[in-house]
Amino acid sequence: MEANIDWRFPPLDGGTKQGFNNNDIEAFKGELVIDNLAREICQNSLDARVDAASGPVSVVFELRMIRTGAFPLFSRYGDFIAACRDYYSSNMGHQLKHFLDDAELMLSLEEMPLLVVSDHNTYGLRGSRTLEIGDPWEALTSADGISAGKDEGSGGSYGIGKNAPFACSAMRTVFYNTLDVDGQSAFTGVGRLATFYDKDLDDDTQRIGRYQNNDTEHKKYFPIYPEDSDEFRDLFVRQEGDCGTDVIIAGFSFSENWAHNVKKAVAKNFFVAIAERSLVVEIVDGGTKTVLNENTLANVLEGLKDESDMMDTLRLFEAYTHSDFVTRLSIESEGDVEVRIASRPNFGKKIANFRNTGMLINTYFRRIFQNYAAVVIVQEKGLSDLLKKTEPAKHDNWDHKRIQGNSDSARKERERARIAIKKIREQILALLREQYETIPEKTVDAVGVGNYLPDSVDSGFGNGKGDDALRPIVKLGKSRVVRREIKDEVEVVAPGKKNMGAKVQGDIHNDEEHYVDPDPLLVTPHVDSEGEGDLVAGVAIGAGSKSVTTRISYKKRTFAVNNKVGLYRSILTPSTDSKRAYVEFVAKGEDGTSVPLKVQALTCDGQTVASKGAKCGPIALTGGKGHVLMVTFETKEKMLVDVKLTEAI
């Protein structure tokens, strides 16, 4: 056939005019545009991994600069941009105007940036010769809203998510190059504009055009094959045996700091895949190359520790690599979901879901009193494939209702997904409670408790300052109180008022000597009398049968979490270490009296503390550290609760 390699926007031929706005592209724009790009491309590459490959999937992000004027296809594309401006000159929306301005500016540059993303050890895009609609080549390059077939080795899905690269192009132009495992090579380009008038066709056009091999006489249209001649295609020829796909984003519009942002996106979304040696990512920016593999991942994340938006990832990675415990859940089959959990004082509360490819799907939290990070990996392929069907275009959630259809098979699959998602969430909560939660469930789940807890869906890790566990959501009205120091404790008493005293005539005393009442807890030591060996009653140094109780200097803060169920929270900060400390809770009355409170359940920093009536312990405390006590009393009412802390020596 006679080759005519050029752009072709098909004639509208009486069809519906198509505007510029495209929700499928807009969905991937915004602050997370690079994140969306990295997720989509790496996910498709992992899905297309060759089963017999000896190594991991490799994905290379590289920024290249080309001379714009050296390739006529860009000046030709500029003609279509100009035609769009003429077509909408009297009725141009601001989005289209901004796009046309940016596209014209990009085409006027002497050098144009191209972001080239290449994968290796994948199947490539099969079907470039047969052009069957269910094959990956057609799904990615020539179909809109159609995913590739789900047969094993199909090589990715390429549904709506394939629009992510277009969101990164100032010209909405992306080229595709492939060498598949069957040895077939192909190249094409896709431009997404809006209906315009093409004077050569003497007709309005459709909004999607392709850079391809056009046989208009026979109405046959093909990709650019190796036997065809094209200088731009020749920049991306793959060596024999190097199977995979190149996604070439022309007019890449996020060049500033792009390599750093890609590094963060890959580390955040694929640290499980990288750690499990399923994925290696290289980022090439001029003479600088960053490699993320199982050996470098920890150092890369360490270098990102000062960036607040990476705090979740750092703590989830710690939970993955330095787990307090690892276990398996059985959702649809024995041990099909792996769970790794760690708890640290400075953690927030975060659960991360990963599919078997090692890609992060979403994060959320379940409310318990302990800080934790949990990594959940769906290892079994059948369950992973089911959950993939419940994900939106961004692959950032599991929602069984996304499996649509009213047939028996669709309803059964939707119900199967609903049960699986529900079981994962319920079993994760049960696991967290089993490991960390010691307050009875009837207390934790009481109506209204959640309104008083300091955690929220958006709390995450590191978003707040410090790790003070006493930062409640509900703000209480201010109450004037008088604080008076009593030795080493701070006691809160009822509101008081000023009283003016009267002058009283008195004696002048020498203040060089001060009388101090002896501490009743101190005991006279056992000593010899006048050195003659006579004994005086007291205590001698050495092992004895009695223990002595002393007070500990400490600071305290206590408030009600939910007085209807008797749930209170207290922070104790001792001034010194104590190996055998005891706590006692009392309710203080308005008249200054104190009534001991019987403890139903008590935890200190998430660990169960033995209780006997109102006195609980022993517990080990660290000086200067704020220890979190969660206590449930048998008395279920609003009380002013005080805490007394002593030590047995």
Side-chain angles (χ1 to χ4, degrees), residues 22 54 219 222 235 300 321 509 591 600 624:
N22 186 323
S54 58
K219 295 186 178 181
F222 301 94
L235 297 176
V300 169
T321 55
H509 297 274
D591 57 357
Q600 188 179 77

Side-chain angles (χ1 to χ4, degrees), residues 129-147:
R129 290 281 180 172
T130 60
L131 303 181
E132 293 183 3
I133 194 169
D135 287 338
W137 175 265
E138 284 291 284
L140 182 60
T141 68
S142 301
D144 222 14
I146 298 178
S147 299

Side-chain angles (χ1 to χ4, degrees), residues 68-79:
T68 309
F71 303 99
L73 68 95
F74 292 114
S75 61
R76 175 66 168 157
Y77 196 77
D79 294 339

Side-chain angles (χ1 to χ4, degrees), residues 445-480:
D445 294 336
V447 177
V449 171
N451 296 329
Y452 295 89
L453 297 178
D455 307 302
S456 65
V457 174
D458 299 325
S459 61
F461 295 115
N463 294 332
K465 297 180 180 180
D467 57 2
D468 189 347
L470 287 175
R471 210 172 270 118
I473 294 174
V474 177
K475 295 183 179 180
L476 304 178
K478 293 183 178 180
S479 175
R480 294 185 61 188

Side-chain angles (χ1 to χ4, degrees), residues 142-337:
S142 301
D144 222 14
I146 298 178
S147 299
K150 298 298 187 293
D151 295 337
E152 184 176 357
S154 65
S157 55
Y158 308 112
I160 296 174
K162 68 186 177 184
N163 290 288
F166 289 92
C168 299
S169 169
M171 306 185 306
R172 284 196 176 180
T173 306
V174 177
F175 296 88
Y176 303 97
N177 180 58
T178 193
L179 171 61
D180 68 26
V181 291
D182 300 322
Q184 300 298 321
S185 295
F187 182 90
T188 194
V190 179
R192 293 176 177 267
L193 299 177
T195 292
F196 61 88
Y197 176 74
D198 186 341
K199 60 183 179 180
D200 294 334
L201 296 175
D202 191 23
D203 197 352
D204 291 345
T205 67
Q206 299 181 35
R207 69 179 178 186
I208 299 177
R210 291 175 180 79
Y211 183 70
Q212 60 188 4
N213 196 333
N214 303 297
D215 180 6
T216 54
E217 180 180 355
H218 299 94
K219 295 186 178 181
K220 299 290 185 180
Y221 309 99
F222 301 94
I224 301 170
Y225 295 125
E227 58 267 26
D228 299 319
S229 176
D230 186 77
E231 292 184 0
F232 186 68
R233 185 277 315 273
D234 293 343
L235 297 176
F236 311 100
V237 173
R238 284 180 170 248
Q239 299 299 316
E240 183 178 353
D242 181 19
C243 299
T245 301
D246 306 307
V247 178
I248 303 134
I249 303 173
F252 180 59
S253 55
F254 294 89
S255 303
E256 185 177 356
N257 211 28
W258 75 272
H260 184 71
N261 291 332
V262 169
K263 178 174 65 177
K264 288 169 58 176
V266 170
K268 178 173 67 174
N269 293 288
F270 295 97
F271 71 79
V272 169
I274 295 171
E276 294 187 351
R277 302 180 181 181
S278 297
L279 176 67
V280 172
V281 175
E282 295 183 14
I283 305 168
V284 182
D285 186 12
T288 303
K289 181 168 75 170
T290 302
V291 179
L292 286 87
N293 58 30
E294 74 276 12
N295 297 319
T296 65
L297 180 59
N299 289 334
V300 169
L301 285 169
E302 178 67 18
L304 299 171
K305 66 181 181 180
D306 294 330
E307 305 205 22
S308 60
D309 59 341
M310 293 300 293
M311 197 62 66
D312 284 0
T313 302
L314 287 163
R315 287 161 180 172
L316 288 167
F317 182 69
E318 183 174 351
Y320 177 82
T321 55
H322 297 85
S323 312
D324 292 344
F325 64 95
V326 180
T327 189
R328 291 267 184 164
L329 306 179
S330 297
I331 304 303
E332 288 198 322
S333 59
E334 184 69 25
D336 52 3
V337 174

Side-chain angles (χ1 to χ4, degrees), residues 40 131 205 209 281 359 365 370 457 563 622:
E40 179 61 25
L131 303 181
T205 67
V281 175
M359 183 182 78
F365 80 90
Q370 187 79 0
V457 174
N563 56 69
T622 303

